[in-house]
């Protein structure tokens, strides 16, 4: 019995357990690849109606920030991934992303956020 899962209305099957190759039928064509790649192909098809093969997604290379700055302020992490922009600081409060300069974010925390101190 093949392992199957359901993703955004499409059946995804495990073809080869030894190499963890998955397949699905999308847009009338069969796609093969890693589970993540097949899911990304299905997502792309559902969102744009353009078929991309899973191996096209596997080729993507994301570069992480070289110097990520993190400052802890009253129990809240304030982060900056940009090396040269002082207004690129951000934090997540109650599921909301807030962006701005470091002093402005600290001022917001002081005025609006109940913290454990």
């Amino acid at each position: 019995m093949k392992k199957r899962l359901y993703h955004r209305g499409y059946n995804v099957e495990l073809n080869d357990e030894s190499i963890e190759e998955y397949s699905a039928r999308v847009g009338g064509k069969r796609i093969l690849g890693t589970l993540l790649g097949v899911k990304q192909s299905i997502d792309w098809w559902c969102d744009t109606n353009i078929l991309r093969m899973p191996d096209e997604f596997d080729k993507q290379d994301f570069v992480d920030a070289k110097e990520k700055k993190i400052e802890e302020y009253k129990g809240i992490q304030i982060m900056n991934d940009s090396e040269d922009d002082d207004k690129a600081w951000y934090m997540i409060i109650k599921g909301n992303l807030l962006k701005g300069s470091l002093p402005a974010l600290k001022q917001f925390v002081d005025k609006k956020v109940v913290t454990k101190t």
Side-chain angles (χ1 to χ4, degrees):
M1 187 164 154
K2 286 188 175 183
K3 179 180 175 183
R4 292 187 175 116
L5 57 108
Y6 195 66
H7 182 70
R8 291 187 76 170
Y10 292 89
N11 288 315
V12 179
E13 294 182 350
L14 177 61
N15 277 355
D16 190 351
E17 195 170 331
S18 63
I19 59 172
E20 292 189 22
E21 181 181 66
Y22 289 82
S23 71
R25 185 158 296 279
V26 179
K29 295 189 179 186
R30 183 179 164 117
I31 57 173
L32 296 167
T34 63
L35 179 60
L36 178 61
V38 170
K39 284 183 173 183
Q40 286 176 327
S41 292
I42 292 170
D43 290 340
W44 194 267
W45 173 257
C46 290
D47 295 340
T48 65
N49 208 25
I50 297 171
L51 183 62
R52 288 186 64 193
M53 293 298 159
D55 61 340
E56 293 178 42
F57 293 102
D58 292 340
K59 293 177 188 172
Q60 293 179 356
D61 188 23
F62 296 101
V63 179
D64 198 13
K66 291 181 176 98
E67 272 192 47
K68 185 174 187 176
K69 301 174 203 162
I70 299 176
E71 185 163 323
E72 190 86 22
Y73 184 71
K74 294 188 177 182
I76 296 172
Q77 279 191 345
I78 305 174
M79 297 161 274
N80 186 340
D81 296 334
S82 177
E83 297 172 14
D84 55 350
D85 191 1
D86 288 336
K87 293 185 179 180
W89 288 88
Y90 64 93
M91 63 184 174
I92 298 174
I93 303 286
K94 296 181 184 175
N96 295 318
L97 175 67
L98 300 166
K99 298 166 72 174
S101 66
L102 185 58
L105 292 175
K106 286 181 178 180
Q107 185 178 18
F108 178 85
V109 169
D110 289 339
K111 288 183 179 180
K112 306 274 183 173
V113 180
V114 178
T115 58
K116 300 175 193 174
T117 52

